[in-house]
Amino acid sequence: MSHAIFTANLCTMGLNLLYAIAAMLIGLVALKLVDRLVFPEINFIAEIKRGNIAAAIFVGMTLLFLALVLSKAVS
């Protein structure tokens, strides 16, 4: 009985890990699309490297928003 529960939990954890990886990849692709389509003239990575705090906050909030949306879609 214990072995069956352990196996089921292990399978569930593996699926959750796959969902998390898929959600992360979808989020990064969505961030790149937003970066290229909505703000084509702004390079956010270069702005962050130059110390632009507003660009860092925008990218961070965009990632948090995508994480919230994807977490609801996965669960």
Side-chain angles (χ1 to χ4, degrees), residues 3-72:
H3 180 65
I5 293 172
F6 178 73
T7 304
N9 284 339
L10 193 60
C11 289
T12 302
M13 287 174 52
L15 282 174
N16 287 338
L17 180 63
L18 288 175
Y19 287 147
I21 290 171
M24 183 178 63
L25 291 176
I26 290 170
L28 290 174
V29 168
L31 181 64
K32 284 293 185 186
L33 285 175
V34 167
D35 186 27
R36 288 186 185 168
L37 295 177
V38 178
F39 301 108
E41 67 277 353
I42 300 172
N43 186 354
F44 284 107
I45 302 302
E47 291 294 325
I48 292 171
K49 285 181 182 178
R50 280 193 267 156
N52 189 344
I53 301 298
I57 291 172
F58 177 76
V59 170
M61 290 297 118
T62 305
L63 284 174
L64 281 174
F65 173 72
L66 289 172
L68 286 172
V69 170
L70 292 174
S71 70
K72 292 298 179 184

